[in-house]
Amino acid sequence: MKTIIYTKLSKNKGSPRLFIEGQRLLSSGIKPGQRYNVLYESVKVVLQFTDSGERSISKRTRRGREHPVIDINNRSLERLASCGRVRIIISCDCITITVHHHDRKSKARTQRLFGMLNSDRPLEMVSLAHGAGIMDHAIHQGLVDIGIPVRLAAAIEVEERYIEASLTNNPVWDDQSVAIHAPMQEVELDKIGECDLLCAGLPCTGASLAGRAKNKLNIAEEHSTAGALFFTFINAVNMLNPSVIILENVPAYQTTASMTVIRSVLHTLGYTVHETILNGNALGAIENRDRFVMVGVTQALEGFNADMIQSVRSKETSINQILSDVPADSDRWRTYQYLHDKAQKDAAAGKGFKRQLLNGSEESCGTIGRGYKKARSTEPFLVHPDTGLQRLFTPEEHARLKAVPEFLVEGLSETVAHEVLGQSVIHSAFVALGRLIGNTIGDLACLQEDKAIS
């Protein structure tokens, strides 16, 4: 029979050591005294069994039984040991030691990344749950700001209206990009090809507190459509083998079972996981929106530190600075009496729901969500200074509150514009993240080049 072992080479007296004993050898027909030669290749070592071999299988006696032992302590194993983990295949005629497939993929993605940078080719990005591509646009801008070219290789989006909006307005697409309109879990990810960056804004409908309450969920993973998407996301990481992974969601996602699994799997695949909460006010926008962000970097990018994100713009001093000129007699101004009545009932019942009625002098506002056009009771409304009537922010104002370039929602219906903005990100925060990622990549690329020259 054949035996396969996934392990690490140990160390003895400063040199790598290959040590195997016992039934794993016996079961493959290998016995004490059997002779073999050791053949060293660049990333492979073969123990070839032959009667004229220079070495022989040792033995150890335990409980009256002889066990075969292979013990090689040789610096020729250094190249394998430097990769981390190894795969050992034991058969009756040979033993083959190669680099562990996870470490092989880790090395391949790092070489690909530095190869793209050193040849001035744009990095390849793939986007999952793309929406209208607002986060992708921000990451692109951040990278390009510091001189790292990037292109959108492929994007997956289930909602037709959103991908249409992105294709119409978003400059991240080029002639070679692939737009995939489909549920993420149905896409043949292996046909996309490997990439350098993977961006994902997994739907938060099961993870957010409002989503759990509305859908009567005990845990986020119970959601009928979004609950299992973390599994597709992990598959995408495994198949696309990116050097950098960006996952954003509501802060509550950080404590889900999904995120626990993601952390564990990414660690196994050779990524270092960084997590942070990006705040809109702190990173250049009026909307005081918190967003959980996970950045997984291949372990060669050891200099990345999510805590080093710095704002790339100064937010406006008040909401008045982003307002459009909406005439006092516009039909946008309304009484919203039903929301007033609901607020009074909620207060009488001791509920914590309160309306956000703003006059424009405020330095910030609360989060504006996907369903903003429905005029929900807890989201921001602007109050007219003279009439006391109220209105929702226009899509253009909504974009400005999030520091999103207005052209990304140009020509969209109000419903679609508010939806793609409401479920997206603070644009300036992710520009800042893109710059930090780019600086880390660029610094390491220069270091690699310096080493090659020296």
Side-chain angles (χ1 to χ4, degrees):
M1 63 177 287
K2 182 180 290 186
T3 300
I4 302 176
I5 304 170
Y6 293 87
T7 187
K8 286 185 177 181
L9 295 179
S10 59
K11 284 272 188 178
N12 182 46
K13 297 180 180 179
S15 295
R17 184 188 190 190
L18 172 65
F19 184 87
I20 312 171
E21 69 169 330
Q23 194 62 42
R24 291 173 296 176
L25 296 172
L26 283 171
S27 297
S28 298
I30 299 170
K31 300 176 182 179
Q34 194 169 345
R35 304 199 69 81
Y36 65 93
N37 287 322
V38 182
L39 308 177
Y40 297 100
E41 300 181 19
S42 59
V43 288
K44 181 168 69 173
V45 175
V46 179
L47 278 57
Q48 187 70 54
F49 294 107
T50 173
D51 292 341
S52 59
E54 296 179 353
R55 295 170 176 255
S56 65
I57 303 294
S58 302
K59 66 180 179 180
R60 178 183 292 182
T61 302
R62 285 185 177 178
R63 298 177 183 175
R65 297 181 59 186
E66 287 187 349
H67 293 268
V69 175
I70 293 176
D71 190 357
I72 301 175
N73 192 198
N74 194 311
R75 287 198 176 276
S76 299
L77 298 172
E78 194 72 57
R79 186 165 292 185
L80 283 176
S82 65
C83 294
R85 297 164 290 183
V86 295
R87 181 183 66 170
I88 304 170
I89 302 177
I90 305 172
S91 61
C92 61
D93 57 350
C94 70
I95 296 176
T96 304
I97 305 102
T98 57
V99 176
H100 192 290
H101 64 290
H102 287 166
D103 292 329
R104 187 170 64 247
K105 291 182 72 172
S106 177
K107 184 176 181 180
R109 61 181 174 251
T110 301
Q111 288 178 334
R112 170 188 165 86
L113 176 68
F114 292 148
M116 299 289 276
L117 291 169
N118 292 333
S119 61
D120 294 324
R121 289 177 292 168
L123 302 184
E124 303 272 330
M125 176 189 283
V126 171
S127 173
L128 307 180
H130 175 74
I134 292 173
M135 177 175 70
D136 301 325
H137 181 273
I139 296 295
H140 273 241
Q141 181 177 321
L143 289 167
V144 171
D145 282 349
I146 58 170
I148 295 183
V150 60
R151 60 174 298 270
L152 183 64
I156 303 172
E157 173 54 48
V158 66
E159 176 58 60
E160 180 181 355
R161 297 175 302 165
Y162 301 166
I163 200 163
E164 283 288 319
S166 181
L167 288 167
T168 301
N169 293 331
N170 203 325
V172 297
W173 301 90
D174 61 35
D175 292 343
Q176 302 301 314
S177 301
V178 179
I180 305 173
H181 172 216
M184 191 193 331
Q185 61 271 32
E186 296 182 12
V187 176
E188 298 166 287
L189 296 166
D190 58 326
K191 296 187 183 301
I192 293 177
E194 294 191 345
C195 66
D196 303 296
L197 295 97
L198 177 64
C199 293
L202 298 184
C204 64
T205 46
S208 67
L209 297 179
R212 292 191 196 185
K214 178 181 178 181
N215 294 285
K216 299 179 180 179
L217 306 177
N218 293 314
I219 57 174
E221 292 72 27
E222 288 181 345
H223 194 278
S224 58
T225 57
L229 288 182
F230 76 95
F231 179 76
T232 302
F233 169 75
I234 290 171
N235 277 342
V237 172
N238 198 30
M239 293 181 184
L240 304 180
N241 200 30
S243 289
V244 179
I245 306 158
I246 304 169
L247 172 64
E248 66 87 15
N249 214 298
V250 293
Y253 195 80
Q254 193 169 17
T255 58
T256 60
S258 302
M259 192 59 219
T260 300
V261 174
I262 289 171
R263 289 187 195 99
S264 177
V265 173
L266 292 189
H267 175 75
T268 300
L269 295 178
Y271 293 92
T272 301
V273 174
H274 303 263
E275 300 177 31
T276 190
I277 302 294
L278 300 184
N279 175 262
N281 283 176
L283 292 169
I286 290 179
E287 186 179 317
N288 191 27
R289 182 187 187 99
D290 283 335
R291 209 67 177 171
F292 164 66
V293 179
M294 181 218 75
V295 181
V297 294
T298 192
Q299 290 174 352
L301 298 176
E302 56 188 18
F304 182 82
N305 183 351
D307 293 332
M308 295 176 64
I309 294 175
Q310 297 181 346
S311 180
V312 298
R313 79 185 293 268
S314 298
K315 76 180 186 70
E316 295 79 0
T317 56
S318 73
I319 292 173
N320 282 325
Q321 290 185 268
I322 62 89
L323 295 179
S324 301
D325 183 15
V326 177
D329 60 353
S330 168
D331 60 4
R332 288 184 177 276
W333 298 104
R334 304 176 188 177
T335 61
Y336 290 103
Q337 185 63 41
Y338 69 96
L339 292 180
H340 174 74
D341 296 341
K342 182 180 183 303
Q344 289 189 322
K345 289 180 180 179
D346 287 342
K351 295 181 180 179
F353 302 119
K354 291 184 179 180
R355 298 196 63 199
Q356 291 188 63
L357 298 177
L358 311 174
N359 60 31
S361 65
E362 296 83 1
E363 296 180 0
S364 67
C365 70
T367 299
I368 303 176
R370 178 178 180 270
Y372 185 61
K373 185 65 169 64
K374 297 177 182 179
R376 300 179 294 192
S377 62
T378 59
E379 290 177 309
F381 285 73
L382 192 67
V383 180
H384 194 281
D386 299 324
T387 66
L389 296 176
Q390 305 155 27
R391 71 172 176 87
L392 296 172
F393 291 109
T394 67
E396 294 76 19
E397 291 168 337
H398 186 173
R400 295 168 199 154
L401 291 169
K402 283 183 166 71
V404 173
E406 294 174 49
F407 64 79
L408 291 176
V409 294
E410 184 178 352
L412 304 183
S413 70
E414 288 203 24
T415 297
V416 173
H418 284 309
E419 285 182 2
V420 297
L421 289 167
Q423 65 186 359
S424 188
V425 300
I426 298 298
H427 189 272
S428 55
F430 281 78
V431 172
L433 177 60
R435 289 189 186 182
L436 178 61
I437 291 170
N439 280 325
T440 304
I441 292 173
D443 289 346
L444 282 170
C446 291
L447 183 61
Q448 292 287 323
E449 189 174 357
D450 290 343
K451 284 182 179 179
I453 293 173
S454 59

